[in-house]
Amino acid sequence: MRNSLKWSGLVVLVALTLSVLLAAQQQTTPTPPPQQPSEIQLVISGEPGTPPRYAVPDFVALSPDVADVAKLLGQVLWDDLNFEREFYMIPRDTYSTIPVARTGDDIPFAAWRELGADAVVFGTVQKTDPNTVRVQVRLFNVRSRQSVFAKEYTGSAANPRLYAHTMSDEIHQQQRALRGVARTKLTFSSDRNRERVAGPVQNRDVKEVYIADYDGENVRRVTTNRQLNITPTWAPDARGIAYTSYRRGYPDIFIALIYQGLQETPTNGVGQNWLPMFSPDGTRICFTSNRDGNPELYVMNRDGSNVRRVTNNPAIDTTPTWSPNGAQIAFTSDRAGTPQIYIVGADGLNLRRITTNESWADRPTWSPAPFNEIAYAGRTGPGFDIKVYDLASGETRQITFGEGSNESPAYSPNGRHIAFSSTRSRGTQVYTMARDGKNVKQITRDGNNATPSWSN
Amino acid sequence: MKRATIVLMLLLAFTAACAKKKPATVASGPPPAATAPAPAPAATPPPPPPRPAERVEDSVPVPAISEDTIGNRSLEDLNRDSPFKPAFFDLDSSDLDDAGRAIVSANADIMKRYPTWVVTVEGHCDERGTAEYNLALGEKRAVAVKTYLVALGVSPDRLRTVSYGKEFPFDTGHTESAWSKNRRAHFVITSK
């Protein structure tokens, strides 16, 4: 597990084509896409007014035992590039009439042009030893027939999807100056292993913390204590997960360092504590505690030192989320009679209420910059829908519409997507959608899965 | 043979009537535990049951449980067919109403009768709050019940509280009937 998850840091960039080097020298700013075609153009454009049309055929297997990997790389890269909706991705089942290129020198550009492609990927994969693969990829401008992007990756053969995810992020970065999310992960709580909590009360399902790639693949279990382990949230370094665990019989905060197999318990046994939330710089944790007799918000340093109380009200104050600069905290309180969303300074000052037209507004999550909005669960009938409050305009927009109950919104690090849990199909499952509510995609199917958090 | 059958039927009818009598004073709601009092079948659903729909008389009689049957039972058996009744709450409320106070008071009497028991009061919620918010709401419910038990003379040393939010609903339905059963403080005997 450790190797396959970790190798991305070892990805070696071996080669850049001459054309990319020349282009890089000529272009001072790769963004925005130039409107006038220059002699060597790095960014591939579509027809005027339309997004560029991309084709991603299967990779070419250069050794016989990687035929499946070659197909997988093409499919995963297509899916990854499709996710951000920056390109029109030409469906892969329409490529059958196009001759298969064996090398980068015999790409049938005319046939791709006929299919309407503006950009085509050519990739190869081969095993260099039983545990190692070498993957090469180039992105061609179909019109100019020039390679605008070329990379080679060598590493573990255990998780080939990660090569496709890496290419996708690099292509989004180069072509659209966009931080892709193909290498990010989701963490969530699940009862999928169908164990029962040990103890005097029967028939209670264990919930454990899991992680998965952003597309739901590559699921790994993080906790194994056969108790309730819920509300996991990523540390900003994407190497730690803070969560609420009942392993001691009551809720307390634990941090799993997933690549080291270590665990931290920052609250030092004071009271009952739940719902940890890392500050954006990772140095502090905001959480809910009953240590003073009533659910209130507190902030501590990541190591548990310097605990400061943020709220002080006999009502419920809980479900904190940090502003991107770490100066403010949005949370839920029923101090006005019903649960509503409030914002307070991390120092406990300057409290204000932001939801005014909701019968029940709950569990906010603050978007990353450059977006300036707070997503939350708003009551819309028997269940919740996800709504988004724009801090600049004060306007609210609804992005789910009564398909099941929809809760626990969590932004992707680029702010363009939201993971959430919904009861719209069997049980409770994790989904992702674009921040406008479109492109809903079911991520989990096994057991019940809830309270997602999206890694950097 | 025939006579033996009649005697047995009479006996059964009598015990069933006795067994039914107590729950009937406390509540109307989901059927109280089955008609036959005998050994509980292995796969009976979990304990908490009746929803006190109407208000209950202030002095709820302590359920007549003989020391013999209770004292010898395992924790698992005790909690499966618990002498404690759950207290119920309104939506987004941790206030004990008259019915809730009556139930907690009856539970306090049981705790006084078995002074070695340690009880965990679990706060539970319906699905109409979010999973995250309900952790705090359940906490307030558990604490409200503990506070009242202590006021009734139960030592705080014998009481634990924990909130499970909406993680362990008693009724997984999506109606007000299910929700009202899930907004509860559930008593679990954790040692005796």
Side-chain angles (χ1 to χ4, degrees), chain A residues 298-314:
Chain A
Y298 298 79
V299 171
M300 63 182 170
N301 291 349
R302 180 180 166 144
D303 64 3
S305 63
N306 198 17
V307 181
R308 288 144 290 159
R309 184 167 171 175
V310 176
T311 60
N312 193 342
N313 190 287

PDB file of all heavy atoms in Angstrom, chain A residues 298-314:
ATOM      1  N   TYR A 298     -13.605  24.780  19.863  1.00  0.00           N
ATOM      2  CA  TYR A 298     -12.278  25.083  20.401  1.00  0.00           C
ATOM      3  C   TYR A 298     -11.273  25.007  19.265  1.00  0.00           C
ATOM      4  O   TYR A 298     -11.494  24.315  18.269  1.00  0.00           O
ATOM      5  CB  TYR A 298     -11.889  24.068  21.488  1.00  0.00           C
ATOM      6  CG  TYR A 298     -12.810  24.070  22.670  1.00  0.00           C
ATOM      7  CD1 TYR A 298     -14.051  23.425  22.603  1.00  0.00           C
ATOM      8  CD2 TYR A 298     -12.467  24.729  23.839  1.00  0.00           C
ATOM      9  CE1 TYR A 298     -14.914  23.443  23.688  1.00  0.00           C
ATOM     10  CE2 TYR A 298     -13.326  24.741  24.928  1.00  0.00           C
ATOM     11  CZ  TYR A 298     -14.552  24.099  24.842  1.00  0.00           C
ATOM     12  OH  TYR A 298     -15.405  24.119  25.915  1.00  0.00           O
ATOM     13  N   VAL A 299     -10.169  25.706  19.431  1.00  0.00           N
ATOM     14  CA  VAL A 299      -9.045  25.594  18.503  1.00  0.00           C
ATOM     15  C   VAL A 299      -7.829  25.179  19.312  1.00  0.00           C
ATOM     16  O   VAL A 299      -7.595  25.702  20.407  1.00  0.00           O
ATOM     17  CB  VAL A 299      -8.764  26.928  17.774  1.00  0.00           C
ATOM     18  CG1 VAL A 299      -7.464  26.858  16.983  1.00  0.00           C
ATOM     19  CG2 VAL A 299      -9.919  27.287  16.843  1.00  0.00           C
ATOM     20  N   MET A 300      -7.093  24.198  18.802  1.00  0.00           N
ATOM     21  CA  MET A 300      -5.832  23.821  19.445  1.00  0.00           C
ATOM     22  C   MET A 300      -4.756  23.742  18.369  1.00  0.00           C
ATOM     23  O   MET A 300      -5.059  23.644  17.180  1.00  0.00           O
ATOM     24  CB  MET A 300      -5.960  22.455  20.147  1.00  0.00           C
ATOM     25  CG  MET A 300      -6.263  21.293  19.207  1.00  0.00           C
ATOM     26  SD  MET A 300      -6.458  19.737  20.116  1.00  0.00           S
ATOM     27  CE  MET A 300      -7.096  18.675  18.813  1.00  0.00           C
ATOM     28  N   ASN A 301      -3.523  23.779  18.810  1.00  0.00           N
ATOM     29  CA  ASN A 301      -2.447  23.477  17.879  1.00  0.00           C
ATOM     30  C   ASN A 301      -2.528  22.002  17.499  1.00  0.00           C
ATOM     31  O   ASN A 301      -3.117  21.200  18.209  1.00  0.00           O
ATOM     32  CB  ASN A 301      -1.086  23.791  18.495  1.00  0.00           C
ATOM     33  CG  ASN A 301      -0.889  25.289  18.676  1.00  0.00           C
ATOM     34  OD1 ASN A 301      -1.685  26.090  18.160  1.00  0.00           O
ATOM     35  ND2 ASN A 301       0.150  25.652  19.408  1.00  0.00           N
ATOM     36  N   ARG A 302      -1.913  21.663  16.414  1.00  0.00           N
ATOM     37  CA  ARG A 302      -2.039  20.292  15.931  1.00  0.00           C
ATOM     38  C   ARG A 302      -1.554  19.275  16.966  1.00  0.00           C
ATOM     39  O   ARG A 302      -2.062  18.158  17.042  1.00  0.00           O
ATOM     40  CB  ARG A 302      -1.244  20.129  14.621  1.00  0.00           C
ATOM     41  CG  ARG A 302      -1.349  18.720  14.103  1.00  0.00           C
ATOM     42  CD  ARG A 302      -0.592  18.485  12.830  1.00  0.00           C
ATOM     43  NE  ARG A 302      -0.509  17.044  12.625  1.00  0.00           N
ATOM     44  CZ  ARG A 302      -0.560  16.454  11.452  1.00  0.00           C
ATOM     45  NH1 ARG A 302      -0.677  17.172  10.369  1.00  0.00           N
ATOM     46  NH2 ARG A 302      -0.479  15.152  11.356  1.00  0.00           N
ATOM     47  N   ASP A 303      -0.592  19.658  17.774  1.00  0.00           N
ATOM     48  CA  ASP A 303      -0.083  18.719  18.783  1.00  0.00           C
ATOM     49  C   ASP A 303      -0.900  18.746  20.067  1.00  0.00           C
ATOM     50  O   ASP A 303      -0.527  18.088  21.045  1.00  0.00           O
ATOM     51  CB  ASP A 303       1.386  19.018  19.079  1.00  0.00           C
ATOM     52  CG  ASP A 303       1.586  20.386  19.709  1.00  0.00           C
ATOM     53  OD1 ASP A 303       0.580  21.095  19.968  1.00  0.00           O
ATOM     54  OD2 ASP A 303       2.744  20.766  19.949  1.00  0.00           O
ATOM     55  N   GLY A 304      -1.985  19.495  20.084  1.00  0.00           N
ATOM     56  CA  GLY A 304      -2.859  19.514  21.253  1.00  0.00           C
ATOM     57  C   GLY A 304      -2.583  20.659  22.207  1.00  0.00           C
ATOM     58  O   GLY A 304      -3.349  20.871  23.153  1.00  0.00           O
ATOM     59  N   SER A 305      -1.536  21.400  21.974  1.00  0.00           N
ATOM     60  CA  SER A 305      -1.204  22.507  22.881  1.00  0.00           C
ATOM     61  C   SER A 305      -2.064  23.732  22.563  1.00  0.00           C
ATOM     62  O   SER A 305      -2.695  23.814  21.505  1.00  0.00           O
ATOM     63  CB  SER A 305       0.283  22.850  22.741  1.00  0.00           C
ATOM     64  OG  SER A 305       0.565  23.313  21.437  1.00  0.00           O
ATOM     65  N   ASN A 306      -2.063  24.679  23.515  1.00  0.00           N
ATOM     66  CA  ASN A 306      -2.671  25.988  23.292  1.00  0.00           C
ATOM     67  C   ASN A 306      -4.149  25.903  22.918  1.00  0.00           C
ATOM     68  O   ASN A 306      -4.571  26.456  21.896  1.00  0.00           O
ATOM     69  CB  ASN A 306      -1.876  26.737  22.207  1.00  0.00           C
ATOM     70  CG  ASN A 306      -2.170  28.225  22.235  1.00  0.00           C
ATOM     71  OD1 ASN A 306      -2.694  28.745  23.229  1.00  0.00           O
ATOM     72  ND2 ASN A 306      -1.877  28.912  21.137  1.00  0.00           N
ATOM     73  N   VAL A 307      -4.929  25.220  23.750  1.00  0.00           N
ATOM     74  CA  VAL A 307      -6.374  25.104  23.476  1.00  0.00           C
ATOM     75  C   VAL A 307      -7.057  26.420  23.813  1.00  0.00           C
ATOM     76  O   VAL A 307      -6.878  26.965  24.909  1.00  0.00           O
ATOM     77  CB  VAL A 307      -6.997  23.967  24.303  1.00  0.00           C
ATOM     78  CG1 VAL A 307      -8.486  23.857  23.994  1.00  0.00           C
ATOM     79  CG2 VAL A 307      -6.290  22.659  24.024  1.00  0.00           C
ATOM     80  N   ARG A 308      -7.814  26.935  22.864  1.00  0.00           N
ATOM     81  CA  ARG A 308      -8.558  28.173  23.083  1.00  0.00           C
ATOM     82  C   ARG A 308     -10.023  27.948  22.741  1.00  0.00           C
ATOM     83  O   ARG A 308     -10.334  27.310  21.737  1.00  0.00           O
ATOM     84  CB  ARG A 308      -8.013  29.317  22.218  1.00  0.00           C
ATOM     85  CG  ARG A 308      -6.666  29.868  22.657  1.00  0.00           C
ATOM     86  CD  ARG A 308      -5.822  30.255  21.462  1.00  0.00           C
ATOM     87  NE  ARG A 308      -5.374  29.085  20.722  1.00  0.00           N
ATOM     88  CZ  ARG A 308      -4.976  29.097  19.473  1.00  0.00           C
ATOM     89  NH1 ARG A 308      -4.959  30.208  18.800  1.00  0.00           N
ATOM     90  NH2 ARG A 308      -4.595  27.983  18.872  1.00  0.00           N
ATOM     91  N   ARG A 309     -10.900  28.472  23.576  1.00  0.00           N
ATOM     92  CA  ARG A 309     -12.332  28.333  23.322  1.00  0.00           C
ATOM     93  C   ARG A 309     -12.793  29.417  22.347  1.00  0.00           C
ATOM     94  O   ARG A 309     -12.434  30.581  22.495  1.00  0.00           O
ATOM     95  CB  ARG A 309     -13.080  28.444  24.648  1.00  0.00           C
ATOM     96  CG  ARG A 309     -14.565  28.223  24.525  1.00  0.00           C
ATOM     97  CD  ARG A 309     -15.141  28.039  25.915  1.00  0.00           C
ATOM     98  NE  ARG A 309     -16.597  28.032  25.862  1.00  0.00           N
ATOM     99  CZ  ARG A 309     -17.353  27.797  26.925  1.00  0.00           C
ATOM    100  NH1 ARG A 309     -16.789  27.565  28.102  1.00  0.00           N
ATOM    101  NH2 ARG A 309     -18.665  27.800  26.836  1.00  0.00           N
ATOM    102  N   VAL A 310     -13.587  29.010  21.354  1.00  0.00           N
ATOM    103  CA  VAL A 310     -14.011  29.959  20.318  1.00  0.00           C
ATOM    104  C   VAL A 310     -15.440  30.439  20.555  1.00  0.00           C
ATOM    105  O   VAL A 310     -15.763  31.601  20.345  1.00  0.00           O
ATOM    106  CB  VAL A 310     -13.893  29.314  18.920  1.00  0.00           C
ATOM    107  CG1 VAL A 310     -14.422  30.249  17.832  1.00  0.00           C
ATOM    108  CG2 VAL A 310     -12.441  28.935  18.634  1.00  0.00           C
ATOM    109  N   THR A 311     -16.337  29.540  20.977  1.00  0.00           N
ATOM    110  CA  THR A 311     -17.742  29.917  21.190  1.00  0.00           C
ATOM    111  C   THR A 311     -18.094  29.783  22.662  1.00  0.00           C
ATOM    112  O   THR A 311     -17.449  29.044  23.410  1.00  0.00           O
ATOM    113  CB  THR A 311     -18.701  29.031  20.375  1.00  0.00           C
ATOM    114  OG1 THR A 311     -18.532  27.663  20.777  1.00  0.00           O
ATOM    115  CG2 THR A 311     -18.433  29.163  18.884  1.00  0.00           C
ATOM    116  N   ASN A 312     -19.137  30.498  23.056  1.00  0.00           N
ATOM    117  CA  ASN A 312     -19.590  30.442  24.443  1.00  0.00           C
ATOM    118  C   ASN A 312     -21.073  30.765  24.463  1.00  0.00           C
ATOM    119  O   ASN A 312     -21.475  31.914  24.527  1.00  0.00           O
ATOM    120  CB  ASN A 312     -18.792  31.441  25.291  1.00  0.00           C
ATOM    121  CG  ASN A 312     -19.009  31.196  26.774  1.00  0.00           C
ATOM    122  OD1 ASN A 312     -19.966  30.542  27.171  1.00  0.00           O
ATOM    123  ND2 ASN A 312     -18.107  31.715  27.592  1.00  0.00           N
ATOM    124  N   ASN A 313     -21.879  29.716  24.346  1.00  0.00           N
ATOM    125  CA  ASN A 313     -23.321  29.905  24.262  1.00  0.00           C
ATOM    126  C   ASN A 313     -23.994  28.623  24.731  1.00  0.00           C
ATOM    127  O   ASN A 313     -23.536  27.543  24.384  1.00  0.00           O
ATOM    128  CB  ASN A 313     -23.703  30.209  22.803  1.00  0.00           C
ATOM    129  CG  ASN A 313     -25.157  30.649  22.666  1.00  0.00           C
ATOM    130  OD1 ASN A 313     -26.059  29.837  22.781  1.00  0.00           O
ATOM    131  ND2 ASN A 313     -25.356  31.936  22.453  1.00  0.00           N
ATOM    132  N   PRO A 314     -25.083  28.729  25.509  1.00  0.00           N
ATOM    133  CA  PRO A 314     -25.724  27.497  26.006  1.00  0.00           C
ATOM    134  C   PRO A 314     -26.350  26.647  24.902  1.00  0.00           C
ATOM    135  O   PRO A 314     -26.707  25.497  25.144  1.00  0.00           O
ATOM    136  CB  PRO A 314     -26.789  28.019  26.978  1.00  0.00           C
ATOM    137  CG  PRO A 314     -26.951  29.455  26.649  1.00  0.00           C
ATOM    138  CD  PRO A 314     -25.656  29.933  26.099  1.00  0.00           C
TER     139      PRO A 314
END
